[in-house]
Amino acid sequence: MSNSPLIVHTNLSPNHSGLRTKKIDTFTPHVVVGHASLKSLGEWFAKKTTAASSTYGIDDAGQIAMFVEEKNRPWTTSSNANDQRAITVEIASDARHPYAITNGAMDGLIKLGVDVCKRNGIPKLLWKADKNLIGKVDQQNITSHRWFAAKTCPGDYLFGRLGELADEVNKILLPAPIIVPTTPTGLPYQVRVNTEILHYRRGPGTNNPVVGQIRKGEVYTIIEEAFGLGSSKWGRLKSGAGWVALDYCMKVR
């Protein structure tokens, strides 16, 4: 296992379990709960009494530090099983709810996500906000600290943007698809959103810009289908507002 070439600061922590027992196939972002610098965060993890660590850290400017080499299992998510397979990242954030991170930090997280996927043979990032999919990396390979312990980490702000993280990483990892309209048989029909927040986009595919959000349980009419990046199929909303990934919807009639 190699380490990221993006790192600008290194302070290796003694708080790890030695060599991993699992292949890296998962990505777990966390928030620091404070706008910590890479230096101060590294100094904190360097103390044995801290009894915690992460693979990488990201500051407000999006700069990246390494605290545990990728070959070793960090102590980050209160779960041995998750930490054995995950690259964990602590990100500078606001100190109070919803624990927002800066745009610079988000950019750094996207760059690190692309790098981690490329070097570890992860074809794309997958996020469905579903705790029941922990360990089923062919369906979801981003995990959340709150699923393993009584914590709010990574905060509601970043938790709500994990789908965007996956989309932005996958735009870089995957080539832009050729969009082919499907046969309109069975159109129109209605779908119910089955993920917490679903972005709708200007066109079918995550290579198109986000123009709005819809939420879990809401019902919409689909009048056209097409193939596109990021979902097995996309549907155009009757309102004309945009296109949604049908993998995150359930057909109701």
Side-chain angles (χ1 to χ4, degrees):
M1 294 178 185
S2 60
N3 298 312
S4 178
L6 301 174
I7 56 177
V8 299
H9 178 77
T10 300
N11 190 345
L12 294 180
S13 171
N15 303 323
H16 64 81
S17 300
L19 296 178
R20 294 176 183 270
T21 60
K22 299 287 186 181
K23 177 183 181 295
I24 293 170
D25 57 17
T26 299
F27 198 58
T28 311
H30 301 247
V31 291
V32 176
V33 188
H35 291 283
S37 66
L38 298 181
K39 182 175 183 294
S40 63
L41 187 55
E43 289 172 349
W44 174 249
F45 284 146
K47 299 176 182 178
K48 289 186 177 181
T49 53
T50 301
S53 62
S54 65
T55 315
Y56 296 108
I58 298 177
D59 67 10
D60 289 337
Q63 297 183 108
I64 298 166
M66 180 173 67
F67 306 127
V68 175
E69 293 188 85
E70 288 192 23
K71 67 181 180 181
N72 294 325
R73 178 234 152 172
W75 299 349
T76 321
T77 54
S78 309
S79 166
N80 175 66
N82 188 77
D83 285 347
Q84 290 288 4
R85 67 195 311 164
I87 292 298
T88 62
V89 190
E90 288 282 1
I91 307 158
S93 73
D94 288 349
R96 55 175 59 182
H97 178 81
Y99 307 104
I101 67 172
T102 65
N103 290 335
M106 187 68 178
D107 289 343
L109 183 61
I110 292 166
K111 290 176 184 176
L112 181 60
V114 171
D115 170 58
V116 166
C117 288
K118 284 182 175 179
R119 288 184 297 100
N120 290 284
I122 301 171
K124 62 180 180 177
L125 287 184
L126 302 166
W127 173 248
K128 294 189 176 179
D130 189 345
K131 183 178 178 180
N132 295 319
L133 296 179
I134 291 171
K136 299 177 181 179
V137 296
D138 59 329
Q139 300 177 63
Q140 178 175 264
N141 56 10
I142 300 176
T143 54
S144 170
H145 194 178
R146 63 176 65 180
W147 291 345
F148 306 104
K151 298 179 180 290
T152 60
C153 185
D156 289 349
Y157 179 85
L158 182 54
F159 188 86
R161 296 187 69 183
L162 292 178
E164 177 186 344
L165 168 65
D167 288 345
E168 294 302 317
V169 168
N170 294 339
K171 281 183 190 178
I172 301 170
L173 289 177
L174 304 172
I178 298 174
I179 299 170
V180 181
T182 61
T183 305
T185 305
L187 293 168
Y189 58 85
Q190 291 187 323
V191 295
R192 179 177 290 110
V193 180
N194 61 9
T195 189
E196 293 299 326
I197 296 174
L198 181 61
H199 296 303
Y200 56 88
R201 295 176 177 273
R202 188 168 297 161
T206 53
N207 54 317
N208 291 283
V210 172
V211 292
Q213 294 180 340
I214 54 181
R215 297 184 178 274
K216 188 172 184 178
E218 295 178 349
V219 175
Y220 293 88
T221 299
I222 301 300
I223 60 170
E224 183 181 348
E225 294 177 344
F227 296 113
L229 179 66
S231 179
S232 58
K233 193 176 290 185
W234 290 77
R236 185 159 68 93
L237 299 173
K238 182 180 179 180
S239 67
W243 293 75
V244 294
L246 294 177
D247 285 354
Y248 303 97
C249 301
M250 180 176 64
K251 192 171 182 179
V252 293
R253 65 177 181 176

